[in-house]
Amino acid sequence: MTDPVRRTGIIDRLRRRFTGALRRQHRLRHFGRHPLQDRLGRRGTPQPLPAEIARVLLQAAHDDPAAALTRLKSHADGLSQREAAARLARQGPNEVEHDPPLPWWLHLWHCYQNPFNLLLTVLAGVSYLTKDVKATLVIGVMVLLSTGVRFVQEGRSNRAAERLKAMVSNTATVLRRDRHTAASRSAAAAAHPGAQAAAGVELAMRRLVPGDVVVLSAGDMIPADCRVLTARDLFVAQSAMTGESLPVEKFSENRGAGNASDASGGPLEQSNLVFMGTSVVSGSATALVLTTGTRTYFGTLAARVTATDSTPNAFQAGVNSVSWLLIRFAMVMVPIVLLINGLTKGNWPEAFLFTLSVAVGLTPEMLPMIVTTTLAKGAVLLSRKKVVVKRLDAIQNFGAMDVLCTDKTGTLTQDQVVLGHHIDAFGNTSEEVLGLAFLNSHYQTGLKNLLDRAVLAHIELPTELKLEQDWRKIDEIPFDFERRRMSVVVSERNERHQLICKGALEEVLACCTQVRAEPGQPTRESTLDATLFARVSQAARKLNEDGLRVVAVATKELPTSQATYSVADETGLTLVGYIAFLDPPKDSAAPALEKLAAHGVHVKVLTGDNELVTARVCRQVGLAVDRVLLGPQIDAMDDAALALAMQQHQVFAKLAPMQKERIVRSLRAQGHVVGYMGDGINDAPALRAADIGISVDSAVDIAKEAADIILLEKSLLVLDQGVVEGRNTFCNMLKYIRMTASSNFGNVLSVLVASAFLPFLPMLPLQLLVQNLMYDISQTAIPFDNVDAELVAQPLKWNPADIGRFMVFFGPVSSVFDIATFAVMWWVFSAQTLAQQGLFQSGWFVEGLLTQTLIVHMIRTPRLPFIESRAALPLLVATGCVVAAGLWLPMGPLADDFKLQALPAAYFLWLAGILAGYAVLTTVMKRFYLQRFGWQ
């Protein structure tokens, strides 16, 4: 039992004698996910290692820790700076062979290599073989335009991504014998008694070398292939390597088959080896680096395997479906055009060349460029806001998101938690509770979360004395998400052992049988009966209702004869009191969530925290809280009941990681596009399950690794900006697809009508190609166009059926005025003979180009163009230049080169009337379409 003087004086002696609390610096870790990790997780059988590397790993696994250190000429307290530098120069950096940046010429080839460019190249070859050099040049310019713009935009996007990666430091905690301070040596000794002379320093992962000793804790990514030297309840997620769905426990000693490991098997079966690319789920350890870089298991596979996953995601599938819609349309219409022209004109070679030109016009050759440019533009804009976009496709998914699930702590709330109260179980301020909480937070070697940092920061201690002079750590029972508590066992001046437990209220109370009595009571402890249980629960509940996060602190004295401890020792505890934290919401949380709601994104909060605290924070950020659904209630539901609950609840509390994942999957199964935002270890499963995973700059390694987008700034307003940017991207891609589809459909109808009744071709192949090239030039500015606010007000998804309907609806409108132009040229200007075909073709060339350019402005918006909605300056300039060039070409000195003929002045009066009629009819049809089908 603890005497009253000792009980109340802990914190005073701490302030008087001990060093300041050691505050672990926040570590921005490696967040990129190598493509092989996804593929490895799908493999049924791990791939074999090269014999030499397998031998090194197995030797270390079969050696005891001392022998393993000796074999690598290392020490329990790590390498010196000089030794490490020499090995780094000899071994090279610890880097896996990610796909290297493509050389410019190979990048250019990839930009060229798409079906549309290949088709155009074939058509250019055919034109060259038929001696049509001008057609060959025009088609070549079209290919260069499509390829060149895409090359430039992808280069911009890649450079922006590289700049963002440079903002993130990829580090590991390494023991160094000759880089230490008194405080850091104290911490290293407390966590790892065999390393009294070493200090844990943060080093870039690429600087690790064989022989280094690294410190691992929950949330860390394993930085290399390592041999475990010391371990406390170390569980590692290695499904990416072995396909095992559950975390695997690792030990400092090698264990046989009876312990889920085979000492005679391969490296992956060894219970004391951990591998690059896996992650620590819980517990802590020190480990000896055996192999680095390309000599790791992960690195050897990266070097040998180059193929990537070919399964298209939803975005790629949408683009592919639209592409094939346009290609199938071309494959049907082109043969019809060939047959009609060949049969009616009798000149099959000329009909063939004309049909080739029509095929070029029907090819959406600019689609890859438009998609790449719009996505790259979005990535560049977001990069200026310090948002890391790990996949370009994620930008469009951002726009399609209609449900955002978010964790509370660290995402909606600030990452600077403040310790507000330290009270006994009855609500009285207690220095003993604070002292015990400090010892627990200081000596635990797992992931020091925001609450631990707040406890350590709350106590200012003198630095001249050493913590280990009075206290000694005996053992530790690490935190896990099932128990939701952790314990350390310490001894003061080598006297009795004291277990100090800290954790979630319900889980700690479940282990308590006694409660520390109030001051002035004759006994030190009282039995925790139903009456006292209600009293101590009410004290905690009052703090919860005030919006404070409550952590219970309990203790237990144990005999000094016991050296190791486990979860079984967390029984018969004495509840000492509570520490309560102020965890205020981020200033940007409320306005960000309000903007998301205005843009049709429903926000749901998924947290492992107490329901009272969660409800208070949700109200502070403006989320309505009628009822809170708890994790145990979710476990009792089948999938159908859970799907119904998703529609009725907005806030979910006391959730385990797998429950968060189940909620996300349930929402996706109902057809929602789900985003998940989180920063903790317990968020990783949900981040992976979501359509788009979002994390923040303060997240642990595994959360960043699972996310698609990382917010480097603390403001959540960038969330809404990302949603809007994603929808802008989608809208501009949709503009091009709609314009191309409807224009192509109308042109083919016009060609079919003209070919059936005219004694000559309505337009020469070269003229058709030049017209298509000029139209393509006008469309290069579409990615930079403005988007109407109402178009981004709601989530957007691919709908190929709508595109087909749009094409059939608006395509014939242009054909009506093309046929009107035919009539004007035939009857008004008497262009009825072969001798007059140049005039006829020039008239349709100009009208067709101007109506195609006009349609860019007519259907880029559901509003009235130029008046209610104005295009961006780049698009206005591009289309204006094309119109000017189209009017000048038949009237200028190049007319003969393209077999065009100067048009009479009266033609332009008719042209103005045709364009005005086209604009009016398109506006009427647009209004009807908008009322009937909507614009999206």
Side-chain angles (χ1 to χ4, degrees):
M1 306 293 283
T2 304
D3 61 73
V5 174
R6 182 165 175 247
R7 183 180 70 217
T8 58
I10 290 177
I11 194 61
D12 292 329
R13 296 201 303 279
L14 288 173
R15 285 201 179 97
R16 216 171 39 244
R17 300 178 181 176
F18 301 154
T19 62
L22 297 174
R23 300 165 192 172
R24 247 186 173 179
Q25 294 183 350
H26 169 63
R27 293 175 290 181
L28 283 174
R29 299 292 191 114
H30 172 63
F31 60 84
R33 182 170 177 81
H34 197 286
L36 282 173
Q37 284 183 266
D38 289 318
R39 299 177 56 225
L40 286 170
R42 290 192 295 270
R43 293 181 185 271
T45 305
Q47 300 298 299
L49 275 169
E52 180 185 355
I53 298 176
R55 179 179 56 79
V56 170
L57 295 177
L58 289 173
Q59 280 180 340
H62 297 154
D63 286 341
D64 59 35
L69 288 164
T70 301
R71 188 182 297 277
L72 284 176
K73 299 179 182 179
S74 185
H75 313 271
D77 50 1
L79 300 172
S80 68
Q81 287 290 101
R82 188 172 183 177
E83 291 170 329
R87 296 189 186 195
L88 182 61
R90 188 168 59 249
Q91 299 279 350
N94 177 35
E95 293 178 330
V96 173
E97 292 293 335
H98 289 259
D99 292 336
L102 293 175
W104 70 267
W105 55 270
L106 189 56
H107 180 204
L108 187 63
W109 167 252
H110 282 292
C111 291
Y112 161 77
Q113 194 180 23
N114 66 71
F116 305 130
N117 280 339
L118 294 176
L119 175 59
L120 289 178
T121 302
V122 171
L123 298 177
V126 173
S127 298
Y128 179 78
L129 293 175
T130 56
K131 309 300 182 181
D132 193 348
V133 178
K134 291 181 179 179
T136 305
L137 290 175
V138 172
I139 297 175
V141 171
M142 295 170 68
V143 174
L144 288 175
L145 179 66
S146 173
T147 303
V149 175
R150 182 179 180 185
F151 176 76
V152 171
Q153 291 300 329
E154 284 189 358
R156 290 184 62 203
S157 175
N158 291 337
R159 288 190 293 273
E162 290 302 319
R163 287 194 296 269
L164 283 175
K165 289 178 183 177
M167 298 179 185
V168 182
S169 174
N170 309 327
T171 65
T173 304
V174 186
L175 298 186
R176 282 283 186 264
R177 285 185 293 154
D178 52 0
R179 284 189 61 184
H180 57 271
T181 62
S184 61
R185 184 170 60 244
S186 168
H192 308 284
Q196 286 88 346
V201 295
E202 294 292 322
L203 289 181
M205 287 184 182
R206 67 187 308 274
R207 293 176 58 191
L208 293 183
V209 296
D212 267 328
V213 177
V214 295
V215 180
L216 303 173
S217 60
D220 286 349
M221 301 296 294
I222 307 295
D225 288 355
C226 305
R227 199 265 191 220
V228 178
L229 298 178
T230 64
R232 286 297 305 158
D233 296 320
L234 179 66
F235 284 86
V236 175
Q238 58 181 36
S239 59
M241 295 293 172
T242 64
E244 297 172 273
S245 58
L246 297 177
V248 177
E249 187 171 9
K250 298 290 183 175
F251 309 90
S252 59
E253 71 277 9
N254 203 359
R255 301 196 175 190
N259 290 288
S261 177
D262 184 359
S264 63
L268 288 175
E269 284 75 46
Q270 307 308 310
S271 62
N272 57 357
L273 296 182
V274 291
F275 299 91
M276 174 186 278
T278 62
S279 59
V280 180
V281 176
S282 64
S284 59
T286 57
L288 174 67
V289 174
L290 303 175
T291 59
T292 57
T294 56
R295 291 172 58 83
T296 62
Y297 177 81
F298 187 67
T300 58
L301 287 176
R304 287 188 293 170
V305 183
T306 58
T308 56
D309 185 11
S310 60
T311 303
N313 57 33
F315 172 78
Q316 294 165 338
V319 173
N320 291 342
S321 66
V322 170
S323 300
W324 279 110
L325 171 70
L326 299 177
I327 289 173
R328 284 194 298 268
F329 173 70
M331 292 174 65
V332 171
M333 301 306 294
V334 165
I336 298 175
V337 172
L338 176 62
L339 287 174
I340 291 178
N341 278 279
L343 292 173
T344 58
K345 311 298 183 297
N347 188 339
W348 286 96
E350 185 181 64
F352 177 72
L353 292 176
F354 179 72
T355 303
L356 284 181
S357 302
V358 172
V360 171
L362 290 176
T363 303
E365 66 277 359
M366 301 299 286
L367 180 58
M369 184 279 294
I370 294 292
V371 170
T372 299
T373 303
T374 51
L375 292 176
K377 170 179 169 284
V380 170
L381 288 177
L382 289 177
S383 73
R384 293 171 185 165
K385 306 177 190 299
K386 293 189 178 181
V387 177
V388 178
V389 180
K390 292 165 62 177
R391 286 188 306 105
L392 279 182
D393 295 353
I395 298 174
Q396 196 277 331
N397 289 339
F398 228 163
M401 179 177 69
D402 63 339
V403 175
L404 173 65
C405 298
T406 177
D407 183 33
K408 176 182 68 67
T409 306
T411 49
L412 293 182
T413 58
Q414 297 177 8
D415 56 0
Q416 293 296 327
V417 176
V418 178
L419 178 61
H421 300 278
H422 42 93
I423 62 174
D424 63 21
F426 303 97
N428 307 299
T429 299
S430 170
E431 294 293 302
E432 181 189 14
V433 170
L434 181 58
L436 293 174
F438 171 81
L439 290 172
N440 179 286
S441 295
H442 178 77
Y443 280 115
Q444 71 110 340
T445 58
L447 180 69
K448 282 185 169 61
N449 58 29
L450 298 175
L451 304 185
D452 289 308
R453 294 190 182 101
V455 171
L456 297 176
H458 191 78
I459 303 175
E460 294 298 334
L461 303 173
T463 58
E464 65 273 9
L465 295 177
K466 308 299 184 288
L467 188 62
E468 64 267 22
Q469 289 181 353
D470 291 279
W471 294 88
R472 182 169 62 93
K473 178 180 176 180
I474 306 299
D475 206 350
E476 177 179 353
I477 309 170
F479 179 89
D480 65 58
F481 288 99
E482 295 299 321
R483 291 165 39 247
R484 302 214 304 161
R485 61 180 183 269
M486 68 82 51
S487 301
V488 297
V489 181
V490 295
S491 173
E492 184 180 13
R493 297 174 182 171
N494 293 319
E495 296 178 1
R496 68 196 79 183
H497 291 181
Q498 185 174 11
L499 182 149
I500 306 171
C501 180
K502 173 168 63 60
L505 179 64
E506 292 83 354
E507 282 70 12
V508 172
L509 283 176
C511 300
C512 294
T513 57
Q514 292 182 303
V515 60
R516 186 79 83 219
E518 291 185 84
Q521 295 296 317
T523 58
R524 298 181 188 135
E525 284 90 19
S526 302
T527 301
L528 189 59
D529 56 22
T531 302
L532 281 179
F533 187 89
R535 284 188 63 193
V536 301
S537 297
Q538 181 58 34
R541 185 178 182 87
K542 185 177 184 301
L543 293 171
N544 285 151
E545 290 173 344
D546 291 337
L548 298 173
R549 187 172 183 180
V550 177
V551 172
V553 179
T555 187
K556 175 182 180 181
E557 292 192 357
L558 298 159
T560 57
S561 58
Q562 189 171 345
T564 59
Y565 295 84
S566 67
V567 175
D569 293 298
E570 291 179 327
T571 57
L573 304 184
T574 298
L575 177 67
V576 181
Y578 310 118
I579 46 177
F581 300 89
L582 295 169
D583 192 10
K586 291 181 177 177
D587 294 338
S588 59
L593 296 181
E594 183 178 351
K595 287 180 177 292
L596 286 170
H599 283 120
V601 179
H602 301 285
V603 178
K604 296 182 183 292
V605 175
L606 280 59
T607 179
D609 205 352
N610 179 282
E611 66 270 23
L612 296 176
V613 177
T614 302
R616 176 65 177 263
V617 171
C618 288
R619 293 188 183 97
Q620 288 176 330
V621 298
L623 291 176
V625 183
D626 295 327
R627 290 180 297 170
V628 179
L629 193 63
L630 304 182
Q633 295 172 303
I634 290 174
D635 282 338
M637 296 178 178
D638 58 20
D639 290 344
L642 181 60
L644 181 62
M646 293 300 99
Q647 302 173 19
Q648 299 172 343
H649 294 81
Q650 193 172 7
V651 181
F652 305 81
K654 295 187 70 64
L655 298 177
M658 293 303 106
Q659 292 167 339
K660 293 184 177 183
E661 180 186 21
R662 187 181 172 205
I663 288 173
V664 170
R665 294 193 183 280
S666 175
L667 289 166
R668 291 188 64 187
Q670 297 175 54
H672 295 290
V673 178
V674 182
Y676 185 89
M677 184 171 67
D679 69 337
I681 306 171
N682 57 333
D683 296 311
L687 283 166
R688 292 195 190 282
D691 291 287
I692 178 168
I694 308 163
S695 196
V696 293
D697 62 330
S698 55
V700 298
D701 296 358
I702 193 170
K704 291 181 182 179
E705 181 262 346
D708 300 303
I709 287 179
I710 310 283
L711 311 183
L712 297 183
E713 292 287 353
K714 295 181 179 179
S715 173
L716 297 182
L717 289 172
V718 75
L719 273 178
D720 181 68
Q721 295 168 358
V723 168
V724 172
E725 192 57 47
R727 295 178 186 176
N728 285 339
T729 297
F730 181 88
C731 283
N732 283 333
M733 281 189 288
L734 192 61
K735 286 176 189 177
Y736 170 78
I737 292 169
R738 283 176 164 175
M739 293 170 191
T740 299
S742 58
S743 178
N744 287 353
F745 186 67
N747 284 346
V748 169
L749 287 180
S750 301
V751 165
L752 289 176
V753 172
S755 299
F757 297 101
L758 292 177
F760 46 79
L761 292 176
M763 200 182 300
L764 295 180
L766 177 60
Q767 296 165 352
L768 200 58
L769 290 172
V770 170
Q771 185 190 68
N772 192 61
L773 173 60
M774 297 177 72
Y775 179 56
D776 283 347
I777 292 173
S778 73
Q779 292 178 312
T780 57
I782 288 176
F784 306 95
D785 190 23
N786 301 325
V787 177
D788 297 336
E790 64 268 23
L791 297 182
V792 297
Q794 295 299 320
L796 307 173
K797 299 179 183 179
W798 286 105
N799 187 357
D802 176 72
I803 294 170
R805 180 174 59 224
F806 194 94
M807 176 179 70
V808 173
F809 202 87
F810 285 95
V813 175
S814 65
S815 296
V816 170
F817 293 91
D818 285 341
I819 294 171
T821 302
F822 297 161
V824 169
M825 301 308 298
W826 184 270
W827 281 298
V828 175
F829 298 105
S830 302
Q832 302 174 357
T833 64
L834 290 175
Q836 293 293 315
Q837 68 173 333
L839 180 62
F840 186 100
Q841 291 160 351
S842 298
W844 190 36
F845 175 88
V846 173
E847 183 271 341
L849 180 61
L850 266 60
T851 53
Q852 282 184 310
T853 307
L854 180 60
I855 201 66
V856 170
H857 293 276
M858 294 302 301
I859 64 176
R860 60 168 288 276
T861 173
R863 300 179 184 178
L864 194 63
F866 305 109
I867 299 174
E868 296 178 347
S869 176
R870 186 175 302 170
L873 182 61
L875 187 58
L876 287 170
V877 171
T879 53
C881 290
V882 167
V883 167
L887 292 171
W888 171 82
L889 200 56
M891 313 298 290
L894 298 179
D896 289 341
D897 294 330
F898 295 100
K899 296 182 174 57
L900 295 171
Q901 186 174 326
L903 295 162
Y907 166 83
F908 294 99
L909 295 176
W910 285 98
L911 177 63
I914 288 172
L915 292 177
Y918 182 47
V920 171
L921 182 57
T922 302
T923 301
V924 172
M925 296 293 286
K926 189 166 64 174
R927 299 288 183 186
F928 177 79
Y929 186 92
L930 187 62
Q931 294 174 0
R932 181 76 180 271
F933 305 109
W935 199 247
Q936 297 297 345

